Amino acid sequence: MNVLISHMLLGLSLAAPIGPINAAQMERGIRSGFLHAWLIGLGGVLADCIFMILVYFGVIHFLGIPFMQTFLWLFGFFVLTYMGFESIANAKKTAARAGSGKEAAVKSLAAGFFMSLFNPLSILFWLGIYGSVLADMVAKYEAREVLLYSAAVLGGIMLWDVFMALLASSFRRLLTPRLLAAISVASGLSLIGFGVYFGLEAYEALFG
């Protein structure tokens, strides 16, 4: 039980630092409510599951090729920058609390999925931290236990996603329209900031 809890705490600690997914959850939760914020996180978890499988089978080392890394930096730049500008453009809708029933849920799910799937920082985590954790688990435990403890890591991530969705949707109900719009703009700027960082990394890889 202690091992299970420790792996769940690992998932929590990995999801908690402010990153593109958290910023997107905050913006989408304020604009469209709990469900859309949670779906952003769920999309990220689905991408994490893919990374987990790739790490298990050793395929993720393919992503260490310089060409693939540059492609991922560039794709991350375009996705995050686009979402950031979209967040700023929708600030007035957020302030009016409009759009909660107009936006397709699948759009939020897909946004979280692709943000995480093409986030080089996520790949570095799964290749580095989880790869080390997995190697340790494989050496100590049977396959069934490895699967259980890996699920605990994902469970911790999903727990944080629920917390973020609750927090964002609570802000939506409690804050004034002007503050809601300001938070939406701040979230958009945060996403653009991450996008610019990815773009600079791509530039460094190409021309550095």
Side-chain angles (χ1 to χ4, degrees):
M1 182 59 71
N2 288 336
V3 177
L4 192 66
I5 292 173
S6 68
H7 283 83
M8 183 170 287
L9 289 174
L10 173 63
L12 271 171
S13 64
L14 294 168
I18 296 299
I21 292 290
N22 284 348
Q25 279 188 289
M26 185 63 68
E27 184 276 330
R28 198 63 60 94
I30 289 173
R31 174 151 55 97
S32 303
F34 172 84
L35 177 63
H36 289 269
W38 179 71
L39 286 172
I40 287 276
L42 181 61
V45 170
L46 292 177
D48 290 340
C49 288
I50 292 176
F51 288 134
M52 187 175 283
I53 293 170
L54 292 177
V55 169
Y56 187 81
F57 289 105
V59 180
I60 201 166
H61 290 287
F62 169 72
L63 298 175
I65 298 173
F67 170 79
M68 287 301 299
Q69 290 179 340
T70 304
F71 170 78
L72 291 168
W73 287 123
L74 282 172
F75 199 91
F77 164 72
F78 287 118
V79 170
L80 293 178
T81 303
Y82 168 78
M83 291 194 67
F85 280 112
E86 183 186 45
S87 175
I88 295 172
N90 286 319
K92 289 185 178 179
K93 290 183 180 179
T94 300
R97 301 185 180 186
S100 60
K102 297 179 182 178
E103 189 171 46
V106 68
K107 184 179 178 181
S108 296
L109 183 69
F113 177 76
F114 286 111
M115 281 178 62
S116 186
L117 188 67
F118 293 100
N119 182 357
L121 299 179
S122 294
I123 294 168
L124 289 174
F125 155 69
W126 289 106
L127 180 61
I129 300 175
Y130 179 72
S132 301
V133 171
L134 180 64
D136 182 64
M137 286 193 294
V138 169
K140 293 181 179 178
Y141 308 111
E142 297 180 0
R144 183 175 58 182
E145 293 172 304
V146 170
L147 181 62
L148 177 63
Y149 297 146
S150 296
V153 174
L154 289 175
I157 295 173
M158 292 185 71
L159 191 61
W160 178 260
D161 290 337
V162 171
F163 169 75
M164 284 296 298
L166 285 171
L167 183 65
S169 58
S170 296
F171 278 157
R172 182 171 181 258
R173 290 192 296 268
L174 297 175
L175 298 180
T176 65
R178 183 172 293 181
L179 282 174
L180 289 172
I183 291 174
S184 184
V185 170
S187 297
L189 290 173
S190 175
L191 290 171
I192 292 172
F194 283 111
V196 169
Y197 169 74
F198 288 173
L200 290 174
E201 289 293 332
Y203 179 84
E204 185 70 23
L206 287 170
F207 307 109

